[in-house]
Amino acid sequence: MNILLKSAKIIDQNSEELHLKTRDILIKKGTIAKIAAKIEPEGKTRVIKHKNLHVSIGWFDSSVAFGEPGYEERETIANGLHTAALSGFTDIVLNPSTHPAPDSSSSIVFLKNAAADQLTSLHPLGTLTVDAKGIDLAELYDMKNAGAVGFFDFKKPLTNPNLLKIALQYVQNFEGLVYSFPMDTRIAGKGIVNEGEVSTKLGLKGIPILAEELQVARDLFILEYTGGKLHIPTISTAKSVKLIAEAKKKGLDVSCSVAVHNLSFTDDCLEEFDSAYKTLPPLRTKTDAKALIKGLKDGIIDFVASDHSPMNIEEKRVEFDNASYGSIGLESAFGSLNTLLDTETTIGLLTKGRERYGLKSPVLKEGEKACLTLFDPEVNYIFEEGHISSTSKNSMYMGSPLKGKVYGTINKGLFVTEEA
């Protein structure tokens, strides 16, 4: 099928020739055949026309969880990737949050095969340790050869610093990327929300910012000693930004990300004891949120993630203390980020990050494979359940004003849109 995008404003800061220009784009058999001021459709061509149509290279999300295998009631791979495509993402990094944990090459092959026919490409993480128990290193080299783009015991901190040291040394043989979740469990204790005025007022056990910052500092010291590639996912405090900035000035090979919701919300939201706002790391203060946004703008924080974590209703509609952590975020990621930042900055953040995982970034020019996201950055709306395509509905954005609508995605010769 041929596709013709009519009067699409191109957002591509890597292209001086096309950035902020309005062009027609013709796609033949999955390849960008022509970009011009005006193109007339020929033969069997699907013409895409929308008010205020914008286009960029396909978006990338570095932190997505589904459920399959083991927790299919939360989300299947097929529906999760369809949701990602409808949300503008042509590539996602899948967190190892399944049962059994993906700690072998066969597990990685299963995930890759399950996603093979989908528009959105799935790039799996393997666990760093066997069964994500933090004791013995998993089959890192074999998983890398099978397609794993990094190694992460999902949301589980590495309590043994020597294990992180050995992992960082070992993966240098094959350019592996090691994750370390930023939380010291001995400092966090039984805390479930940010420690501060709000937690004290509500009588909820708090997780001090020290729990994150102590772990980040420890991990950076180890990285400086060992070398290797370290990724610190979803940081949440102002001091973490400073620590990582200092490490980068030293030339350490470290990257980090932030969850969109840690930019949008603070622990003030907890006053209704709504478990939709229970996440890990927890929502912090306005000071932290401002520092995280500045860290993104300054390039200290490498990329932003939806941290999409579906949970079924039985795991969320319980007492706050007993509720599971996590909020879905794919469907709201663009609208929430575009509300906080200008459109060019938003698209720049949503399209960066692939290189860290050894993935090739798409190029928007004639002769290249079409990997595109179509959107309107000016649509204002209130986020409601009808905007959710995920099987689980645990979104903290319910009822929030957002800005920006995704029209669809094009990748691998496929086109996904909400329209029939």
Side-chain angles (χ1 to χ4, degrees), residues 311-373:
M311 293 291 166
N312 58 42
I313 193 169
E314 291 83 4
E315 294 170 289
K316 278 294 189 179
R317 289 196 180 174
V318 293
E319 291 181 354
F320 193 93
D321 281 12
N322 298 323
S324 296
Y325 294 104
S327 171
I328 59 171
L330 282 169
E331 297 96 326
S332 54
F334 171 52
S336 54
L337 197 60
N338 194 48
T339 303
L340 294 168
L341 306 168
D342 66 86
T343 298
E344 287 185 59
T345 302
T346 295
I347 300 306
L349 291 170
L350 291 173
T351 54
K352 70 183 294 193
R354 288 176 173 89
E355 293 82 1
R356 185 60 172 167
Y357 297 89
L359 305 172
K360 183 181 178 182
S361 187
V363 180
L364 204 169
K365 72 176 185 179
E366 292 179 1
E368 295 286 341
K369 292 292 184 182
C371 180
L372 306 172
T373 299

Side-chain angles (χ1 to χ4, degrees), residues 7-184:
S7 301
K9 187 173 183 178
I10 297 171
I11 307 294
D12 185 356
Q13 297 178 50
N14 293 320
S15 173
E16 293 183 8
E17 179 185 354
L18 295 175
H19 183 49
L20 300 180
K21 301 294 194 302
T22 299
R23 296 286 186 269
D24 289 358
I25 303 174
L26 178 63
I27 300 163
K28 290 185 176 181
K29 297 180 180 180
T31 298
I32 299 173
K34 188 176 182 182
I35 302 174
K38 188 174 183 180
I39 303 172
E40 295 298 332
E42 298 178 1
K44 292 184 178 180
T45 300
R46 181 170 181 177
V47 179
I48 307 298
K49 298 175 69 175
H50 287 291
K51 180 182 177 181
N52 200 33
L53 176 62
H54 285 57
V55 62
S56 71
I57 63 169
W59 300 344
F60 173 78
D61 192 340
S62 65
S63 182
V64 174
F66 294 146
E68 184 181 358
Y71 303 109
E72 286 84 355
E73 72 279 4
R74 297 177 184 173
E75 190 66 275
T76 63
I77 290 173
N79 191 68
L81 290 175
H82 183 68
T83 297
L86 288 173
S87 304
F89 296 96
T90 57
D91 293 85
I92 61 104
V93 172
L94 185 68
N95 287 314
S97 57
T98 58
H99 182 73
D103 60 2
S104 66
S105 58
S106 59
S107 300
I108 300 301
V109 170
F110 167 81
L111 294 169
K112 296 283 286 184
N113 288 342
D117 297 329
Q118 300 292 324
L119 179 149
T120 297
S121 297
L122 182 155
H123 309 286
L125 294 170
T127 60
L128 184 64
T129 64
V130 175
D131 203 25
K133 290 182 176 178
I135 300 174
D136 300 306
L137 288 182
E139 301 173 3
L140 307 186
Y141 180 69
D142 289 345
M143 286 193 289
K144 171 77 171 181
N145 287 339
V149 294
F151 310 106
F152 183 25
D153 288 354
F154 181 59
K155 303 283 185 179
K156 294 180 180 179
L158 286 170
T159 57
N160 182 353
N162 190 53
L163 194 63
L164 178 61
K165 176 180 77 72
I166 294 170
L168 285 167
Q169 290 171 330
Y170 175 59
V171 299
Q172 292 177 48
N173 296 310
F174 51 90
E175 288 292 305
L177 179 64
V178 172
Y179 274 57
S180 182
F181 187 67
M183 188 175 78
D184 186 316

